[in-house]
Every structure is written in structure tokens, then in C-alpha cells.
Amino acid sequence: MPEALAALSALEEAYAQRGAPAQAPAQGPAQGPARAPAGDTAVGHVPVVGYVGADVPVELLTAAGARAFRLTGDPDAGSGTGDRYLGLGVDPAARSVLTRLLAGSYGHLDRVVVSHDCEASLRLFYALRELRRVEPGTALPEAYLVDLLHLPHRTTARYNRRRIGEFAARLEAWTGRPLDLPRAVAAHDERRRLLAAAAELRRAVPARLTGRQFLAVLNAPLPVDEHVALLRRLLDEADRLQEHPGRRVFLSGSDHDTPHVYEAVESEGYVIVGEDHSFGDLSVTDPIGTGGPGASGLGTGSLGAGLDVLAEHYHRSGPTAHRATAGERAAHAAAAVKRCRAELFVAYSRAGDEAPAWDFPAQRAALDVPAVLLERQEYGRADLTALKDLTCAV
């Protein structure tokens, strides 16, 4: 089997295990030395941290020597427990994550880190904190909130820098060791560079990766060094990858923490070549160490200088439906559709996550390709009737 196909298969296999009980890996060069969080006495223990949301600075988790992975829900399993604590008005993806945490579906976690990337994530954090306080029998891990904001103001930038510094200090207190931030940033920057190259494979005509495959390439829950190694193998023989013809779709709107909707869309002969959610293209950002203001010298600067750069990077992250204006979202959609040469624009809004639907009129007005809104969709499901009707009409 060609190396690219073997690497793709390995990435898809790892992605299929997302949300399964985590196993702490052996210490590797990109992960830093193993350190035990407060309360753990095992020598060489590698802390396992589950995180929620797009704004968690994963570089700090790597710098602390943690095995970190993003927590995802399961549309095929019930979420009754999460529904009871969070209420049916909260995004079902967050309710599913809470249900799985309470059921122990992720295995042992030393900590849960939550970002304020949307209201559902914030509600989840408050529920975790209170459940641990009033119902200690749930055995939930300690939850920590990284409260980063995205207003275009200097005061917001200063606020974010303080929150980043507090998180770094908390990690050092948990582990009892200083953070190795330059090495962690370098490892994540290399992964960003390789993921950007993988994204170009999907934008090729015809596409060399499907949308479903790209989700796996991007979100495989692997330690950084293992992920980088597989990405290099994938890209070294990318010309051996299969071509994927089909109507090219840009998918906008709600996050997709599972492949269910992608599989439903692509089973009808479409190929998703781009998107604007945090499990997709929006997470393929510019490198931190070489791409942003103040980035030069990160490898030799103080921890404080590195935290400055990290705070700036997460302050200016992509225009999701929950933190950008309709005009910003429309401009981003128009540019992204042209870049990936999409033929159709599909806005997907999940029940309990209505914000993406509010952007659709402005997005449609800014586009020069047919557009359709799939509104109030069930978690992990897609009623494609409107998309099929649009395809027949054009």
C-alpha cells in the first residue's frame, strides 16, 4: 500500500477512536517531560486533559507535558443526563459531552479545560463546576475555564493576556514544573504547516481528500509528534491519493464534532471542499512562532514574551458564527468559496445552535454561487431535501 494511503488509513482509524477512553502515551519529544498534576503521586505520570471549545491554547497543555484531546459528543447515544442538567435549549453537542463525562465514557481524565468560545461551552463549564461541588459522587475531574474574548479592542487583548498567564500559572501549579513553551509552539506550528498543505489537497480539482477524510486528517486525537509523522507520510505521496469528483460544497454554520453530517452530504455525490467551523478549516491557522505580530524570537524569549504571542494568536482567531458579525461572516464566506472553488454553499444550523442561521441572508447576498439553508437540524443529522431541490434547480 502506498505510504499516503497507509497514513490516511491510520489517521482515519485514530479519528474513529475519538472520545474513547484515553491512553497516556510514552514521553515523546513534542510532548515534553511527563509530569503529574497535583494529587497524583505516580512517578512519570502523563496527565490526561480533555478540553472543550476552540479557544483552549493547546500549546500550553503540550508545554505542560499533558496528553490533551478535544472532547466530542455522540449523536447516536442518548443525552438524557446532560439534558436534565443543561436544559434542552443548550446546543445538543454540549449536552452530549456532559452526558459522556458523567458516564465516564472518556476514561480517566485528570482535568477538563473549557473555553468560552460559545454560550454552550460556558454553560457546560458552570454545570461541571457545580456538579463537582454539590455531587462529589459523580467523580468529575476538576474543570478550568479559559475565558478568552474576541472584541477588537486593546482592553480585550489585555484581558486575554491575563487569562493566558493565569492558565499557564495554573498548569505549572498542577504539574510542579516550568512550561517548555518554545518547543510546544514549534511542534504545533509544524502541525499547522502540514495541515495547511493537507487542506490544499481537498481544494484541488478534483479533490484528493473528501470532507469526511479531511475531518479525520485534522482531528485525529493523537499526540502532536505522532500526528506530524502521519501528516508527513500523507503529504510525501499525495499524488497517490484517490481523486474525488462530485458537486463541490462549502459547508457553513454549526460545529461538526462528528462526521455524521459530512457522511450524509457526501453519500449523495457531493464533496465538501471547505467549511467555516472550528473542527474544520478555521482551525488551520497561521503558525504562531513565525506568523503573528511579535512572533520573532519566541524560541529564545522569556515565557512572558511567548505568552504575549500566544494571547495575540487566540485573540484574532477565525470568524465563527458565535463571535463574528454577519458582515464578517459573509466576507469570509465569499473569499473561502472562491478559494476552494465551491459550486454550492450550504449553511447548516443545528437545533439549539441558531446563530448560524442569522448570518445566512448576508452570506447569500455576498456569494456568486447558489446557497441553501438547512435550519433546525437534529444533532448529527441532515435533512438534505432543500439541498437536493437546489441542485436540481441549477
Side-chain angles (χ1 to χ4, degrees):
M1 178 185 295
E3 279 292 299
L5 295 180
L8 179 59
S9 177
L11 288 163
E12 290 186 299
E13 182 179 349
Y15 180 62
Q17 299 302 313
R18 70 196 179 283
Q23 298 294 325
Q27 180 180 328
Q31 294 300 110
R35 301 152 185 159
D40 289 335
T41 57
V43 176
H45 173 78
V46 177
V48 180
V49 177
Y51 68 92
V52 176
D55 288 343
V56 173
V58 291
E59 296 79 9
L60 288 177
L61 293 171
T62 298
R67 163 78 163 94
F69 68 100
R70 192 170 179 180
L71 302 183
T72 57
D74 183 358
D76 295 329
S79 60
T81 308
D83 297 347
R84 182 167 68 252
Y85 287 116
L86 288 175
L88 297 179
V90 174
D91 188 340
R95 285 148 41 199
S96 179
V97 168
L98 178 57
T99 299
R100 302 192 73 212
L101 279 166
L102 289 166
S105 301
Y106 302 111
H108 173 75
L109 296 175
D110 293 295
R111 301 288 191 281
V112 173
V113 178
V114 183
S115 73
H116 186 181
D117 63 333
C118 64
E119 183 65 20
S121 295
L122 189 62
R123 293 277 294 274
L124 174 61
F125 166 74
Y126 288 139
L128 290 171
R129 186 177 65 179
E130 286 305 292
L131 282 169
R132 191 169 188 268
R133 183 179 68 87
V134 303
E135 297 186 27
T138 59
L140 286 168
E142 178 185 346
Y144 184 86
L145 177 67
V146 182
D147 186 26
L148 302 184
L149 305 178
H150 298 279
L151 296 173
H153 306 309
R154 292 180 63 186
T155 52
T156 303
R158 290 197 294 269
Y159 177 88
N160 288 345
R161 174 59 179 84
R162 178 165 294 187
R163 300 290 84 78
I164 290 278
E166 290 171 349
F167 183 42
R170 181 63 64 92
L171 285 169
E172 290 185 331
W174 285 346
T175 62
R177 299 280 296 277
L179 304 180
D180 187 355
L181 186 57
R183 184 166 59 174
V185 168
H188 283 272
D189 277 356
E190 176 64 5
R191 179 161 66 176
R192 288 185 176 94
R193 184 186 69 80
L194 297 170
L195 287 172
E200 292 300 328
L201 296 177
R202 187 173 54 148
R203 298 185 189 118
V205 181
R208 290 284 188 167
L209 292 172
T210 67
R212 165 63 175 78
Q213 289 173 334
F214 186 68
L215 284 184
V217 168
L218 181 58
N219 297 294
L222 296 168
V224 181
D225 53 341
E226 294 180 25
H227 200 178
V228 164
L230 286 173
L231 290 171
R232 286 172 176 161
R233 290 172 57 194
L234 175 73
L235 294 167
D236 281 347
E237 294 185 358
D239 59 338
R240 305 290 297 274
L241 295 171
Q242 180 182 347
E243 295 181 344
H244 299 281
R247 296 297 296 271
R248 299 168 66 87
V249 167
F250 185 91
L251 183 63
S252 179
S254 297
D255 267 343
H256 295 276
D257 62 342
T258 76
H260 291 68
V261 171
Y262 279 62
E263 291 169 350
V265 171
E266 295 187 327
S267 70
E268 297 293 335
Y270 304 98
V271 181
I272 297 173
V273 293
E275 63 280 298
D276 60 7
H277 62 80
S278 71
F279 286 87
D281 272 337
L282 283 189
S283 67
V284 184
T285 61
D286 290 334
I288 295 175
T290 58
S296 60
L298 178 61
T300 58
S302 66
L303 176 62
L307 296 177
D308 290 344
V309 175
L310 204 61
E312 172 65 20
H313 175 83
Y314 281 94
H315 183 197
R316 56 185 171 85
S317 57
T320 66
H322 305 96
R323 60 192 183 211
T325 67
E328 290 168 340
R329 296 265 296 154
H332 178 85
V337 163
K338 290 181 180 179
R339 184 180 183 189
C340 65
R341 289 167 282 191
E343 302 167 273
L344 299 169
F345 180 90
V346 177
Y348 177 99
S349 178
R350 190 165 49 236
D353 182 33
E354 292 81 10
W358 304 339
D359 299 328
F360 180 67
Q363 290 174 321
R364 181 172 54 188
L367 297 169
D368 57 7
V369 299
V372 65
L373 171 63
L374 307 182
E375 194 173 9
R376 300 185 182 90
Q377 301 292 302
E378 294 183 23
Y379 177 40
R381 306 290 181 260
D383 179 352
L384 301 179
T385 303
L387 174 58
K388 294 176 183 178
D389 290 345
L390 177 67
T391 304
C392 291
V394 297

Coordinates of all heavy atoms in Angstrom, one line a residue, residues 53-140:
G53 N -14.0 23.3 23.3 CA -14.0 24.6 22.7 C -12.8 24.9 21.8 O -11.7 24.3 22.0
A54 N -12.9 25.9 21.0 CA -11.9 26.2 20.0 C -10.8 27.1 20.5 O -9.8 27.3 19.9 CB -12.5 26.8 18.8
D55 N -11.1 27.7 21.7 CA -10.1 28.7 22.2 C -9.2 28.2 23.3 O -8.5 29.0 23.9 CB -10.9 29.9 22.8 CG -11.6 30.7 21.7 OD1 -11.2 30.6 20.6 OD2 -12.5 31.5 22.1
V56 N -9.1 26.9 23.5 CA -8.2 26.4 24.5 C -6.8 26.4 23.9 O -6.6 25.9 22.8 CB -8.5 25.0 24.9 CG1 -7.4 24.4 25.8 CG2 -9.9 25.0 25.7
P57 N -5.8 27.1 24.5 CA -4.5 27.2 24.0 C -3.7 25.9 24.2 O -3.1 25.6 25.2 CB -3.8 28.3 24.7 CG -4.6 28.5 26.0 CD -6.0 28.0 25.7
V58 N -3.9 25.0 23.2 CA -3.4 23.6 23.4 C -1.8 23.6 23.5 O -1.3 22.6 24.0 CB -3.8 22.7 22.2 CG1 -5.3 22.5 22.3 CG2 -3.5 23.3 20.9
E59 N -1.2 24.6 23.0 CA 0.3 24.7 23.1 C 0.7 24.7 24.6 O 1.7 24.1 24.9 CB 0.8 26.0 22.5 CG 0.6 26.1 21.0 CD -0.8 26.5 20.6 OE1 -1.6 26.8 21.5 OE2 -1.2 26.4 19.4
L60 N -0.1 25.3 25.5 CA 0.2 25.3 26.9 C 0.1 23.9 27.5 O 0.8 23.5 28.3 CB -0.6 26.3 27.6 CG -0.3 27.8 27.4 CD1 -1.3 28.7 28.1 CD2 1.1 28.1 27.8
L61 N -0.9 23.2 27.0 CA -1.1 21.8 27.5 C 0.0 20.9 27.1 O 0.5 20.1 27.9 CB -2.4 21.3 27.0 CG -3.7 21.9 27.5 CD1 -4.9 21.4 26.8 CD2 -3.9 21.7 29.0
T62 N 0.5 21.1 25.9 CA 1.7 20.4 25.4 C 2.9 20.8 26.2 O 3.7 20.0 26.6 CB 1.9 20.6 23.9 OG1 0.7 20.1 23.2 CG2 3.1 19.8 23.4
A63 N 3.0 22.1 26.4 CA 4.2 22.6 27.2 C 4.2 22.0 28.6 O 5.3 21.9 29.2 CB 4.2 24.1 27.2
A64 N 3.1 21.7 29.1 CA 3.0 21.1 30.5 C 3.2 19.6 30.5 O 3.2 19.0 31.5 CB 1.6 21.5 31.1
G65 N 3.4 19.0 29.3 CA 3.6 17.6 29.2 C 2.3 16.8 29.3 O 2.4 15.6 29.6
A66 N 1.2 17.4 29.0 CA -0.1 16.7 29.1 C -0.4 16.0 27.8 O 0.0 16.4 26.7 CB -1.2 17.7 29.5
R67 N -1.2 14.9 27.9 CA -1.9 14.3 26.8 C -3.3 14.9 26.7 O -4.1 14.7 27.5 CB -2.0 12.8 27.1 CG -3.0 12.1 26.2 CD -2.5 11.8 24.8 NE -3.2 10.8 24.1 CZ -4.3 11.1 23.3 NH1 -4.7 12.4 23.1 NH2 -4.9 10.1 22.6
A68 N -3.5 15.8 25.7 CA -4.7 16.5 25.6 C -5.5 16.1 24.3 O -4.9 15.9 23.3 CB -4.3 18.0 25.5
F69 N -6.8 16.0 24.5 CA -7.6 15.8 23.3 C -9.0 16.5 23.5 O -9.4 16.7 24.6 CB -7.8 14.3 23.1 CG -8.6 13.5 24.2 CD1 -10.0 13.3 24.0 CD2 -8.0 13.2 25.4 CE1 -10.7 12.6 24.9 CE2 -8.8 12.5 26.3 CZ -10.1 12.2 26.1
R70 N -9.5 16.9 22.4 CA -10.8 17.6 22.4 C -12.0 16.6 22.6 O -12.1 15.6 21.9 CB -11.0 18.4 21.1 CG -12.1 19.4 21.2 CD -12.0 20.3 19.9 NE -13.1 21.3 19.9 CZ -13.3 22.2 19.0 NH1 -12.4 22.3 18.0 NH2 -14.3 23.1 19.1
L71 N -12.8 17.0 23.6 CA -14.0 16.1 23.9 C -15.1 16.3 22.8 O -15.4 17.4 22.5 CB -14.5 16.4 25.3 CG -13.5 16.3 26.4 CD1 -14.2 16.6 27.8 CD2 -12.9 14.9 26.5
T72 N -15.6 15.2 22.4 CA -16.7 15.3 21.4 C -17.9 14.5 21.9 O -17.8 13.6 22.7 CB -16.2 14.7 20.0 OG1 -15.7 13.3 20.2 CG2 -15.0 15.5 19.5
G73 N -19.0 14.8 21.3 CA -20.3 14.2 21.7 C -20.5 12.9 20.8 O -19.7 12.5 20.0
D74 N -21.7 12.4 21.0 CA -22.1 11.2 20.2 C -23.6 11.3 19.9 O -24.4 11.0 20.7 CB -21.8 9.9 21.0 CG -22.1 8.6 20.3 OD1 -22.6 8.7 19.1 OD2 -21.9 7.5 20.8
P75 N -23.9 11.6 18.6 CA -25.3 11.8 18.2 C -26.1 10.5 18.3 O -27.3 10.5 18.4 CB -25.2 12.3 16.8 CG -23.8 12.8 16.6 CD -23.0 12.0 17.5
D76 N -25.4 9.3 18.3 CA -26.1 8.0 18.3 C -26.4 7.5 19.7 O -27.1 6.5 19.8 CB -25.2 7.0 17.5 CG -25.1 7.3 16.1 OD1 -26.0 7.9 15.5 OD2 -24.0 7.0 15.5
A77 N -25.9 8.2 20.7 CA -26.2 7.8 22.1 C -27.1 8.8 22.7 O -27.2 10.0 22.3 CB -24.9 7.7 22.9
G78 N -27.8 8.4 23.7 CA -28.7 9.3 24.4 C -28.0 10.4 25.2 O -26.8 10.3 25.5
S79 N -28.7 11.5 25.4 CA -28.1 12.6 26.2 C -29.0 13.0 27.4 O -29.0 14.2 27.7 CB -27.8 13.8 25.3 OG -29.0 14.3 24.7
G80 N -29.8 12.1 27.9 CA -30.7 12.4 28.9 C -30.1 13.1 30.1 O -30.7 14.0 30.7
T81 N -29.0 12.6 30.6 CA -28.4 13.2 31.8 C -28.0 14.6 31.5 O -28.2 15.6 32.3 CB -27.1 12.4 32.2 OG1 -27.5 11.0 32.4 CG2 -26.6 12.9 33.5
G82 N -27.3 14.9 30.4 CA -27.0 16.2 30.0 C -28.2 17.1 29.8 O -28.1 18.3 30.1
D83 N -29.2 16.6 29.2 CA -30.4 17.3 29.0 C -31.0 17.8 30.4 O -31.5 18.9 30.5 CB -31.5 16.5 28.3 CG -31.1 16.0 26.9 OD1 -30.1 16.6 26.4 OD2 -31.8 15.1 26.4
R84 N -30.9 16.9 31.4 CA -31.5 17.3 32.7 C -30.7 18.4 33.3 O -31.3 19.3 33.9 CB -31.5 16.0 33.5 CG -32.1 16.3 34.9 CD -32.4 15.0 35.7 NE -31.2 14.3 36.1 CZ -30.7 13.2 35.5 NH1 -31.4 12.6 34.5 NH2 -29.6 12.6 36.0
Y85 N -29.4 18.4 33.2 CA -28.6 19.4 33.9 C -28.5 20.7 33.1 O -28.4 21.8 33.7 CB -27.2 18.9 34.2 CG -27.2 17.8 35.3 CD1 -26.8 16.5 35.1 CD2 -27.6 18.2 36.6 CE1 -26.8 15.6 36.1 CE2 -27.6 17.3 37.7 CZ -27.2 16.0 37.4 OH -27.2 15.0 38.4
L86 N -28.4 20.6 31.8 CA -28.2 21.8 31.0 C -29.5 22.4 30.4 O -29.6 23.6 30.1 CB -27.2 21.5 29.8 CG -25.8 21.3 30.2 CD1 -24.9 20.9 29.0 CD2 -25.2 22.6 30.8
G87 N -30.5 21.5 30.2 CA -31.7 22.0 29.6 C -31.7 21.8 28.1 O -30.6 21.9 27.5
L88 N -32.9 21.7 27.5 CA -33.0 21.4 26.1 C -32.7 22.6 25.2 O -32.5 22.4 24.0 CB -34.4 20.8 25.8 CG -34.8 19.5 26.5 CD1 -36.2 19.1 26.1 CD2 -33.8 18.4 26.1
G89 N -32.6 23.8 25.8 CA -32.2 24.9 25.0 C -30.8 25.1 24.7 O -30.4 25.9 23.9
V90 N -29.9 24.3 25.3 CA -28.5 24.3 25.1 C -28.1 23.4 23.9 O -28.8 22.3 23.7 CB -27.7 23.9 26.3 CG1 -26.2 23.8 26.1 CG2 -28.0 24.9 27.4
D91 N -27.1 23.8 23.1 CA -26.6 23.0 22.0 C -26.5 21.5 22.4 O -25.8 21.2 23.4 CB -25.3 23.6 21.5 CG -24.8 22.9 20.2 OD1 -25.3 21.9 19.8 OD2 -23.9 23.6 19.6
P92 N -27.1 20.6 21.6 CA -27.1 19.2 22.0 C -25.7 18.6 22.0 O -25.5 17.6 22.6 CB -28.0 18.5 20.9 CG -28.1 19.5 19.8 CD -28.0 20.9 20.4
A93 N -24.8 19.2 21.3 CA -23.4 18.7 21.3 C -22.8 18.9 22.7 O -22.2 18.0 23.2 CB -22.5 19.4 20.3
A94 N -23.1 20.0 23.4 CA -22.6 20.2 24.7 C -23.3 19.3 25.7 O -22.7 18.7 26.6 CB -22.8 21.7 25.2
R95 N -24.6 19.1 25.5 CA -25.4 18.1 26.4 C -24.8 16.7 26.2 O -24.8 16.0 27.2 CB -26.9 18.2 26.0 CG -27.5 19.4 26.5 CD -28.7 20.0 25.6 NE -29.5 18.9 25.1 CZ -30.3 19.1 24.0 NH1 -30.4 20.3 23.4 NH2 -31.1 18.1 23.6
S96 N -24.4 16.4 25.0 CA -23.9 15.0 24.8 C -22.5 14.9 25.5 O -22.2 13.8 26.1 CB -23.7 14.7 23.3 OG -23.2 13.5 23.1
V97 N -21.7 15.9 25.5 CA -20.4 15.9 26.1 C -20.6 15.7 27.6 O -19.9 14.9 28.3 CB -19.6 17.1 25.8 CG1 -18.3 17.2 26.7 CG2 -19.1 17.1 24.3
L98 N -21.5 16.5 28.2 CA -21.8 16.3 29.6 C -22.3 14.9 30.0 O -21.8 14.3 31.0 CB -22.8 17.4 30.1 CG -23.1 17.3 31.6 CD1 -21.9 17.5 32.5 CD2 -24.2 18.4 31.9
T99 N -23.1 14.4 29.2 CA -23.6 13.0 29.4 C -22.5 12.0 29.4 O -22.4 11.2 30.3 CB -24.7 12.7 28.4 OG1 -25.8 13.6 28.4 CG2 -25.2 11.2 28.6
R100 N -21.6 12.2 28.5 CA -20.5 11.2 28.4 C -19.5 11.4 29.5 O -18.9 10.4 30.0 CB -19.8 11.4 27.0 CG -20.8 11.2 25.8 CD -20.0 11.1 24.5 NE -19.4 9.8 24.4 CZ -18.3 9.6 23.8 NH1 -17.6 10.6 23.2 NH2 -17.7 8.4 23.8
L101 N -19.3 12.6 29.9 CA -18.4 12.9 31.1 C -19.0 12.2 32.3 O -18.2 11.5 33.1 CB -18.2 14.4 31.3 CG -17.2 15.1 30.5 CD1 -17.3 16.6 30.6 CD2 -15.7 14.7 30.8
L102 N -20.2 12.4 32.6 CA -20.9 11.8 33.7 C -20.9 10.3 33.7 O -20.8 9.6 34.7 CB -22.3 12.3 33.9 CG -22.4 13.8 34.4 CD1 -23.8 14.3 34.1 CD2 -21.9 13.9 35.8
A103 N -20.9 9.7 32.5 CA -20.9 8.3 32.3 C -19.5 7.7 32.3 O -19.4 6.4 32.3 CB -21.6 7.9 31.0
G104 N -18.5 8.5 32.3 CA -17.1 8.0 32.3 C -16.7 7.5 30.9 O -15.7 6.7 30.8
S105 N -17.4 8.0 29.9 CA -17.1 7.4 28.5 C -15.7 7.8 28.0 O -15.2 7.1 27.1 CB -18.1 8.0 27.5 OG -19.4 7.6 27.9
Y106 N -15.1 8.8 28.5 CA -13.8 9.3 28.1 C -12.6 8.6 28.8 O -11.5 8.9 28.5 CB -13.6 10.8 28.2 CG -14.7 11.6 27.4 CD1 -15.6 12.3 28.1 CD2 -14.7 11.6 26.0 CE1 -16.6 13.0 27.4 CE2 -15.6 12.3 25.3 CZ -16.6 13.0 26.0 OH -17.5 13.8 25.4
G107 N -13.0 7.7 29.8 CA -11.9 7.2 30.6 C -11.5 8.2 31.7 O -12.1 9.2 31.9
H108 N -10.3 7.9 32.3 CA -9.8 8.7 33.3 C -9.3 10.0 32.7 O -8.5 10.1 31.8 CB -8.6 8.1 34.0 CG -7.9 9.0 35.0 ND1 -8.5 9.3 36.2 CD2 -6.8 9.7 34.9 CE1 -7.7 10.2 36.8 NE2 -6.6 10.4 36.1
L109 N -9.7 11.1 33.3 CA -9.2 12.5 32.9 C -8.7 13.1 34.2 O -9.4 13.2 35.2 CB -10.4 13.3 32.3 CG -11.0 12.9 31.0 CD1 -12.1 13.7 30.6 CD2 -9.9 12.9 29.9
D110 N -7.6 13.7 34.1 CA -7.0 14.5 35.3 C -7.7 15.8 35.4 O -7.9 16.3 36.5 CB -5.5 14.6 35.2 CG -4.8 13.3 35.3 OD1 -4.9 12.7 36.4 OD2 -4.2 12.9 34.3
R111 N -8.0 16.5 34.3 CA -8.6 17.8 34.3 C -9.5 17.9 33.0 O -9.3 17.2 32.0 CB -7.6 18.9 34.2 CG -6.6 19.0 35.4 CD -7.3 19.4 36.7 NE -6.3 19.7 37.7 CZ -5.7 18.8 38.5 NH1 -5.9 17.6 38.3 NH2 -4.8 19.2 39.4
V112 N -10.5 18.8 33.1 CA -11.2 19.2 31.9 C -11.0 20.7 31.8 O -11.2 21.5 32.7 CB -12.7 18.9 32.0 CG1 -13.5 19.5 30.8 CG2 -12.9 17.4 32.0
V113 N -10.6 21.2 30.6 CA -10.4 22.6 30.4 C -11.4 23.0 29.3 O -11.5 22.4 28.3 CB -8.9 22.9 29.8 CG1 -8.8 24.4 29.5 CG2 -7.9 22.5 30.9
V114 N -12.1 24.1 29.6 CA -13.2 24.6 28.8 C -12.9 26.0 28.4 O -12.5 26.8 29.2 CB -14.6 24.5 29.5 CG1 -15.7 25.0 28.6 CG2 -14.8 23.1 30.1
S115 N -13.2 26.3 27.1 CA -13.0 27.7 26.6 C -14.4 28.4 26.5 O -15.4 27.7 26.4 CB -12.2 27.8 25.3 OG -13.1 27.3 24.2
H116 N -14.4 29.7 26.5 CA -15.6 30.5 26.3 C -15.8 30.8 24.8 O -15.9 32.0 24.5 CB -15.5 31.7 27.2 CG -16.7 32.6 27.2 ND1 -16.8 33.7 27.9 CD2 -17.9 32.4 26.6 CE1 -18.0 34.2 27.7 NE2 -18.7 33.4 27.0
D117 N -15.8 29.8 24.0 CA -15.9 30.0 22.5 C -17.4 30.2 22.1 O -17.7 30.8 21.1 CB -15.3 28.9 21.7 CG -15.9 27.6 21.9 OD1 -16.5 27.3 23.0 OD2 -15.9 26.7 21.0
C118 N -18.3 29.8 23.0 CA -19.7 30.0 22.7 C -20.5 29.8 24.0 O -19.9 29.3 25.0 CB -20.2 29.0 21.7 SG -20.1 27.2 22.2
E119 N -21.7 30.1 24.0 CA -22.5 30.1 25.2 C -22.7 28.6 25.7 O -22.7 28.4 27.0 CB -23.9 30.7 25.0 CG -24.8 30.7 26.2 CD -24.3 31.7 27.3 OE1 -23.5 32.5 27.0 OE2 -24.7 31.5 28.5
A120 N -22.8 27.7 24.8 CA -23.0 26.3 25.2 C -21.7 25.8 26.0 O -21.9 25.1 27.0 CB -23.2 25.4 24.0
S121 N -20.5 26.2 25.6 CA -19.3 25.8 26.3 C -19.3 26.4 27.7 O -18.9 25.7 28.7 CB -18.1 26.2 25.5 OG -18.0 25.5 24.3
L122 N -19.7 27.6 27.8 CA -19.7 28.3 29.1 C -20.7 27.6 30.0 O -20.4 27.4 31.2 CB -20.1 29.8 28.9 CG -19.9 30.7 30.2 CD1 -18.5 30.7 30.6 CD2 -20.4 32.1 29.8
R123 N -21.9 27.3 29.5 CA -22.9 26.6 30.3 C -22.4 25.2 30.8 O -22.6 24.8 31.9 CB -24.2 26.5 29.5 CG -24.9 27.8 29.2 CD -25.8 28.2 30.4 NE -26.9 27.3 30.6 CZ -28.1 27.4 30.0 NH1 -28.3 28.3 29.1 NH2 -29.0 26.6 30.3
L124 N -21.7 24.6 29.9 CA -21.1 23.3 30.3 C -20.1 23.4 31.4 O -20.1 22.6 32.4 CB -20.4 22.7 29.0 CG -19.7 21.4 29.3 CD1 -20.6 20.3 29.8 CD2 -19.0 20.9 28.0
F125 N -19.3 24.4 31.3 CA -18.3 24.7 32.4 C -19.0 24.9 33.8 O -18.6 24.3 34.8 CB -17.4 25.8 32.1 CG -16.6 26.3 33.3 CD1 -15.5 25.6 33.8 CD2 -17.0 27.5 34.0 CE1 -14.8 26.0 34.9 CE2 -16.3 27.9 35.1 CZ -15.2 27.2 35.6
Y126 N -20.0 25.7 33.8 CA -20.7 26.0 35.0 C -21.3 24.8 35.6 O -21.3 24.5 36.8 CB -21.7 27.1 34.8 CG -21.1 28.5 34.6 CD1 -21.7 29.3 33.7 CD2 -20.1 28.9 35.4 CE1 -21.2 30.6 33.5 CE2 -19.5 30.2 35.2 CZ -20.1 31.0 34.2 OH -19.5 32.3 34.0
A127 N -21.9 23.9 34.7 CA -22.5 22.7 35.2 C -21.5 21.7 35.8 O -21.7 21.1 36.8 CB -23.2 22.0 34.0
L128 N -20.3 21.6 35.1 CA -19.3 20.8 35.6 C -18.8 21.2 37.0 O -18.6 20.4 37.9 CB -18.1 20.7 34.6 CG -18.3 20.0 33.3 CD1 -17.2 20.2 32.3 CD2 -18.5 18.5 33.5
R129 N -18.6 22.5 37.1 CA -18.1 23.1 38.4 C -19.1 22.8 39.5 O -18.7 22.4 40.6 CB -17.8 24.6 38.2 CG -17.1 25.2 39.5 CD -16.8 26.7 39.2 NE -18.0 27.5 39.1 CZ -18.0 28.8 38.9 NH1 -16.9 29.4 38.8 NH2 -19.2 29.5 38.7
E130 N -20.3 23.1 39.2 CA -21.3 22.9 40.3 C -21.6 21.4 40.6 O -21.8 21.1 41.8 CB -22.6 23.6 39.9 CG -22.6 25.1 40.0 CD -22.1 25.6 41.4 OE1 -22.9 25.4 42.3 OE2 -21.0 26.1 41.5
L131 N -21.6 20.6 39.6 CA -21.8 19.2 39.9 C -20.7 18.6 40.7 O -20.9 17.8 41.6 CB -21.9 18.4 38.5 CG -23.3 18.5 37.8 CD1 -23.2 18.0 36.4 CD2 -24.3 17.8 38.6
R132 N -19.5 19.0 40.4 CA -18.4 18.5 41.2 C -18.5 19.0 42.7 O -18.1 18.3 43.6 CB -17.0 19.0 40.6 CG -15.8 18.3 41.2 CD -14.6 18.6 40.3 NE -13.4 17.9 40.8 CZ -12.5 18.3 41.6 NH1 -12.7 19.5 42.2 NH2 -11.5 17.6 42.0
R133 N -19.0 20.2 42.9 CA -19.1 20.8 44.2 C -20.3 20.2 45.0 O -20.1 19.8 46.2 CB -19.4 22.3 44.1 CG -19.4 23.0 45.5 CD -19.6 24.5 45.3 NE -21.0 24.8 44.7 CZ -22.1 25.0 45.5 NH1 -22.0 24.8 46.8 NH2 -23.2 25.3 44.9
V134 N -21.5 20.0 44.4 CA -22.6 19.6 45.1 C -22.9 18.1 45.0 O -23.7 17.5 45.8 CB -23.9 20.4 44.7 CG1 -23.7 21.8 44.9 CG2 -24.3 20.0 43.2
E135 N -22.3 17.4 44.0 CA -22.5 16.0 43.9 C -21.1 15.3 43.7 O -20.8 14.8 42.6 CB -23.4 15.7 42.7 CG -24.8 16.2 42.8 CD -25.7 15.8 41.7 OE1 -25.5 14.7 41.1 OE2 -26.7 16.5 41.4
P136 N -20.3 15.3 44.7 CA -18.9 14.7 44.6 C -18.9 13.3 44.2 O -17.9 12.8 43.6 CB -18.4 14.9 46.0 CG -19.5 15.1 46.9 CD -20.6 15.8 46.1
G137 N -20.1 12.6 44.3 CA -20.1 11.2 43.9 C -20.0 11.0 42.4 O -19.8 9.9 42.0
T138 N -20.2 12.1 41.7 CA -20.1 12.0 40.2 C -18.6 11.7 39.8 O -18.4 11.3 38.7 CB -20.6 13.3 39.5 OG1 -19.8 14.4 40.0 CG2 -22.0 13.5 39.8
A139 N -17.7 12.0 40.7 CA -16.2 11.8 40.4 C -15.8 12.5 39.1 O -14.9 12.1 38.4 CB -16.0 10.3 40.2
L140 N -16.4 13.7 38.9 CA -16.0 14.5 37.7 C -14.6 15.1 38.0 O -14.3 15.5 39.1 CB -17.0 15.6 37.5 CG -18.3 15.2 36.8 CD1 -19.3 16.4 36.9 CD2 -18.1 14.8 35.4

